[in-house]
Amino acid sequence: MPRSARPVAEIETALLREFLAVGDGCVSGAHLAQVVGLSRVAVWGHLHRLEAEGFAFEPVHSRGYRLTAHPAAPSVALIRALLPAGAPPLVYLDSVDSTNDEAGRQLATGRPAPFVVLAAGQTLGRGRFGRVWHSPAAGNLYLSFAFRPELPPERVSLFTLWMGLNLCELLAAETGAAPQLKWPNDLHFGPRKVAGMLTEARIDADQTRELVFGLGLNVATPDSAWPHDLAARATTLAREAGRTLDLNAVAAKVVACVFASAERFFARLPDTEIAKLWRRHDLLAGKTISVRQGSETHNGTARGIDGDGSLLLRTAAGRTLHLRAGEVTLRTS
Ligand code: BTN
């Protein structure tokens, strides 16, 4: 493609990368023009467009421009610029029914995977058991990662747990607090949920053909954006960190973390690491719980997971159940 026919977002990502590379420093107009293969006037046009999105560029006499502010709202150009070069494509939407559905639709059109769909808000966000995932466009991230993995179907549950554990590590580094994974798909800080994961797979002839890993992460939702009952049970990363967080920076870190973790999982590297991370982040360890599976409920003590990611539940009768799925409730006794 001739350089001038490059999509606007790609040009603006390339420009922002130059600014990010120098931090508080200056970048000359001539350098920017050379990087994107456009005239300085055209570059200035792109900087103006970015200013309308919330970026600010300060001209520095005879030296060029300095980036002095960036938007708080999601900016696809900025997220891409913050990602490592060569990261898989990112599709950004202000609003969508469900990012998992959008990723599935894009896979169905034959779009090459991996890629990620990120939305600022969802109108039909879904959780496990077909529940509604409340998805206001208010400081949260809604992400779905699409893969065409070579993965035996029995490893899909472990994939979700591995993602959750790696995300716990990332969220611990971001907040300085101690996130935990509540088997099988919730990320918590203490009793409050900060994120939910929803993995959906298309399995065919005993192979996982397509895998969509959905993640809803509360970054900085104001309490007023949640229904009353959720406000008491949910938390945000900003609240746990005790400071304002940059939504775009968090988005880029989450995207990089998920792609890197998925790559390691598909290469079959992490089995021993799963056990190690599980001990660090297991919210249920040793707790008295109930696990509902359809019309059945099992009671007992949580004893970690087995090699397939099934929950080990020690019953009062001394049996150890391996539960592949279910809904966990913590009991007080
Ligand atoms: C749960 O806790 O039950 C899982 C919630 C998963 C929500 C995410 S938000 C992004 C993706 N799109 C959806 O419709 N659901 C997942």
Side-chain angles (χ1 to χ4, degrees), residues 186-255:
D186 294 350
L187 302 187
H188 275 240
F189 284 95
R192 288 174 178 259
K193 181 162 167 172
V194 73
M197 304 179 286
L198 182 68
T199 304
E200 296 177 311
R202 191 173 70 74
I203 292 160
D204 182 23
D206 281 346
Q207 264 303 316
T208 308
R209 305 289 164 188
E210 295 172 350
L211 190 77
V212 173
F213 170 70
L215 175 71
L217 175 63
N218 307 329
V219 180
T221 341
D223 276 355
S224 59
W226 273 319
H228 183 68
D229 62 319
L230 273 189
R233 288 184 285 125
T235 188
T236 66
L237 277 192
R239 175 186 170 136
E240 300 300 327
R243 65 189 163 91
T244 310
L245 292 175
D246 179 337
L247 189 64
N248 289 299
V250 172
K253 286 180 190 170
V254 168
V255 169

Side-chain angles (χ1 to χ4, degrees), residues 27-109:
V27 188
S28 76
H31 175 72
L32 292 173
Q34 195 243 324
V35 165
V36 292
L38 296 173
S39 69
R40 289 171 66 166
V41 173
V43 165
W44 185 226
H46 283 289
L47 297 187
H48 261 310
R49 253 190 47 89
L50 287 167
E51 282 183 332
E53 255 193 62
F55 293 90
F57 302 96
E58 183 186 80
V60 180
H61 184 63
S62 77
R63 290 183 52 210
Y65 308 97
R66 173 184 291 140
L67 175 62
T68 53
H70 57 266
S75 155
V76 65
L78 181 55
I79 297 170
R80 285 191 185 134
L82 289 164
L83 284 170
L90 181 144
V91 178
Y92 172 77
L93 299 158
D94 282 329
S95 177
V96 69
D97 49 359
S98 149
T99 53
N100 267 33
D101 290 345
E102 180 59 27
R105 287 190 291 265
Q106 298 220 8
L107 282 170
T109 67

Side-chain angles (χ1 to χ4, degrees), residues 1-332:
M1 176 182 325
R3 277 180 140 191
S4 57
R6 281 165 79 190
V8 168
E10 204 180 288
I11 295 169
E12 293 176 357
T13 298
L15 293 174
L16 289 173
R17 273 212 180 100
E18 296 306 309
F19 284 102
L20 295 176
V22 297
D24 287 341
C26 282
V27 188
S28 76
H31 175 72
L32 292 173
Q34 195 243 324
V35 165
V36 292
L38 296 173
S39 69
R40 289 171 66 166
V41 173
V43 165
W44 185 226
H46 283 289
L47 297 187
H48 261 310
R49 253 190 47 89
L50 287 167
E51 282 183 332
E53 255 193 62
F55 293 90
F57 302 96
E58 183 186 80
V60 180
H61 184 63
S62 77
R63 290 183 52 210
Y65 308 97
R66 173 184 291 140
L67 175 62
T68 53
H70 57 266
S75 155
V76 65
L78 181 55
I79 297 170
R80 285 191 185 134
L82 289 164
L83 284 170
L90 181 144
V91 178
Y92 172 77
L93 299 158
D94 282 329
S95 177
V96 69
D97 49 359
S98 149
T99 53
N100 267 33
D101 290 345
E102 180 59 27
R105 287 190 291 265
Q106 298 220 8
L107 282 170
T109 67
R111 182 183 183 128
F115 61 88
V116 54
V117 178
L118 189 160
Q122 298 182 118
T123 52
L124 289 172
R126 288 185 285 113
R128 279 209 315 158
F129 309 115
R131 291 190 186 128
V132 170
W133 183 257
H134 194 66
S135 307
N140 293 339
L141 292 173
Y142 311 103
L143 295 144
S144 295
F145 298 82
F147 303 96
R148 287 198 184 82
E150 307 251 313
L151 189 68
E154 61 276 13
R155 281 182 67 82
V156 170
S157 328
L158 207 54
F159 175 85
T160 310
L161 298 179
W162 171 245
M163 287 299 149
L165 292 170
N166 281 280
L167 286 164
C168 278
E169 292 283 291
L170 174 69
L171 303 191
E174 278 301 292
T175 58
Q180 288 180 301
L181 182 51
K182 182 179 171 218
W183 183 93
N185 71 322
D186 294 350
L187 302 187
H188 275 240
F189 284 95
R192 288 174 178 259
K193 181 162 167 172
V194 73
M197 304 179 286
L198 182 68
T199 304
E200 296 177 311
R202 191 173 70 74
I203 292 160
D204 182 23
D206 281 346
Q207 264 303 316
T208 308
R209 305 289 164 188
E210 295 172 350
L211 190 77
V212 173
F213 170 70
L215 175 71
L217 175 63
N218 307 329
V219 180
T221 341
D223 276 355
S224 59
W226 273 319
H228 183 68
D229 62 319
L230 273 189
R233 288 184 285 125
T235 188
T236 66
L237 277 192
R239 175 186 170 136
E240 300 300 327
R243 65 189 163 91
T244 310
L245 292 175
D246 179 337
L247 189 64
N248 289 299
V250 172
K253 286 180 190 170
V254 168
V255 169
C257 169
V258 170
F259 280 130
S261 308
E263 204 172 301
R264 297 196 63 212
F265 189 86
F266 297 142
R268 273 214 79 128
L269 287 172
D271 280 16
T272 49
E273 247 174 90
I274 291 178
K276 189 179 87 195
L277 291 179
W278 190 260
R279 283 192 293 279
R280 193 179 298 165
H281 295 296
D282 181 7
L283 180 125
L284 301 178
K287 300 249 166 66
T288 309
I289 60 171
S290 293
V291 185
R292 195 149 58 86
Q293 289 187 313
S295 56
E296 259 192 305
T297 299
H298 304 285
N299 298 316
T301 308
R303 291 275 181 243
I305 52 169
D306 68 13
D308 289 335
S310 295
L311 181 71
L312 299 176
L313 186 76
R314 183 94 174 147
T315 67
R319 282 179 63 213
T320 298
L321 307 179
H322 294 236
L323 303 175
R324 279 203 71 74
E327 184 167 27
V328 175
T329 313
L330 285 153
R331 287 164 50 212
T332 41

